[in-house]
Amino acid sequence: PNHNDNDYVKVRLDPRTQEAAQKYLSKIHDPFVRMMFWQSLWDMVRDIQIPVQQYADLTFQHLPFETDIKTALRAAGRLRAMLPYFPQDGKGTRHIKERYIKKVEDFLWKALHSAEPKSDFQKLWFDTFVSIARTPEGLQKLSQLLSGKIRIQGLLIDQDRRWKIIVQLNHFQHQEAEKYVQMELKKDSSESGQKFAIASEVIRPDSSLKRKWFQMIVNEKSELSLSRLKAAMAHLFPEDQEDFRWTFSDDFFKELL
């Protein structure tokens, strides 16, 4: 599609090309052409032309063989971006999303252990796993990575990565999450650490905490710095906490008037 990238267009693949792309995507020699096919297939998910489950299965099939880090970076990012496209309502459909989240976690965990130590791919699979992990098993792995019970050869979990694990553990209410925040603040009380600690509290699915931070954000006399308020705003209503967003929608628009 769009050979040599000569046009600024959205490409919709015809059935024959779509079938070929799904079968042979990782065997396309030119990395730029592969990237365009990845983009076209993702656009078809967003335009409801192919089911998100089909795109996920395609990713599991072809992403392990991707050799171009830029293409892999985009495709890995869509593993998280695709989650809101799964059925959200009803007991009969919710299990579909839960099943695919577990598949994504397992896929990334395997890729992480298969990657060359210290490589960009190893860092990519780790960072993507941290951003997606939410099952009990996935969160427990994050906890064990943080405590050092699990070690990945060649992978340096630096301070920012430690904090991102802690934010994710708080997001999905791991039993040790709040304790980890206080322990990490003793090691890292820098401005960056303070903002990560705020993010860890704000992101918890707790209505009283949401109310507390909402009031602090809209308070014109707040003593918090703008950078810390921005950290709170960025984590107040993540995409999986839509109910909280709706709960505060009236208050939000009142503050705009």
Side-chain angles (χ1 to χ4, degrees):
N2 193 16
H3 187 59
N4 291 327
D5 197 31
N6 289 323
D7 293 307
Y8 186 74
V9 293
K10 178 189 285 188
V11 175
R12 180 177 298 175
L13 304 179
D14 63 84
R16 183 179 177 184
T17 306
Q18 179 187 329
E19 181 181 0
Q22 291 178 200
K23 286 183 179 180
Y24 305 113
L25 179 57
S26 56
K27 295 182 179 181
I28 297 172
H29 178 70
D30 189 325
F32 189 73
V33 174
R34 283 200 312 275
M35 184 182 292
M36 287 196 292
F37 271 110
W38 276 108
Q39 181 63 52
S40 296
L41 290 163
W42 174 244
D43 286 340
M44 293 179 74
V45 174
R46 298 180 64 186
D47 294 340
I48 323 178
Q49 298 298 315
I50 61 173
V52 65
Q53 297 97 313
Q54 185 175 326
Y55 182 85
D57 291 337
L58 177 150
T59 302
F60 300 148
Q61 178 183 350
H62 293 289
L63 189 52
F65 303 101
E66 183 53 62
T67 57
D68 181 70
I69 188 64
K70 292 181 180 179
T71 302
L73 184 64
R74 287 194 179 190
R78 288 168 189 146
L79 285 170
R80 187 173 187 274
M82 73 183 180
L83 296 182
Y85 290 88
F86 280 93
Q88 305 285 332
D89 302 322
K91 294 181 180 179
T93 56
R94 192 178 300 122
H95 75 280
I96 298 174
K97 180 177 181 179
E98 293 171 354
R99 178 161 53 89
Y100 270 88
I101 288 173
K102 182 65 168 64
K103 281 187 174 184
V104 172
E105 287 184 359
D106 292 344
F107 168 82
L108 290 168
W109 191 250
K110 182 179 179 180
L112 173 59
H113 283 80
S114 301
E116 182 181 346
K118 300 184 180 180
S119 66
D120 288 339
F121 277 93
Q122 185 186 54
K123 296 171 187 175
L124 171 61
W125 304 137
F126 177 81
D127 292 340
T128 309
F129 179 80
V130 171
S131 72
I132 287 177
R134 61 195 65 189
T135 67
E137 297 84 359
L139 294 174
Q140 189 59 23
K141 286 173 181 174
L142 291 185
S143 177
Q144 291 175 331
L145 284 164
L146 196 65
S147 66
K149 291 181 179 178
I150 294 179
R151 296 182 185 275
I152 308 296
Q153 182 184 357
L155 180 68
L156 173 64
I157 303 179
D158 59 22
Q159 189 62 68
D160 279 1
R161 286 192 168 98
R162 289 183 62 82
W163 273 117
K164 287 176 182 178
I165 291 174
I166 292 171
V167 172
Q168 188 74 356
L169 291 172
N170 278 271
H171 187 169
F172 293 100
Q173 297 181 293
H174 185 271
Q175 63 268 25
E176 303 290 338
E178 295 184 37
K179 181 185 77 173
Y180 281 138
V181 175
Q182 299 308 315
M183 290 174 59
E184 205 65 23
L185 274 174
K186 292 179 181 179
K187 301 176 184 177
D188 176 28
S189 60
S190 66
E191 177 64 17
S192 177
Q194 296 293 334
K195 288 189 286 189
F196 274 119
I198 289 171
S200 298
E201 180 175 321
V202 169
I203 206 168
R204 293 174 200 154
D206 182 311
S207 57
S208 61
L209 285 175
K210 300 292 184 187
R211 176 62 60 184
K212 165 191 165 183
W213 280 99
F214 180 83
Q215 294 299 333
M216 292 177 70
I217 289 168
V218 300
N219 181 7
E220 294 181 358
K221 298 181 180 180
S222 174
E223 296 181 359
L224 285 178
S225 66
L226 179 59
S227 64
R228 294 190 184 190
L229 288 174
K230 284 184 176 180
M233 286 186 278
H235 294 84
L236 189 58
F237 301 125
E239 83 279 348
D240 60 294
Q241 294 181 6
E242 188 175 356
D243 289 347
F244 285 117
R245 189 183 299 115
W246 281 108
T247 299
F248 283 83
S249 61
D250 288 343
D251 294 328
F252 173 80
F253 287 110
K254 285 179 183 177
E255 291 295 331
L256 293 180
L257 299 177

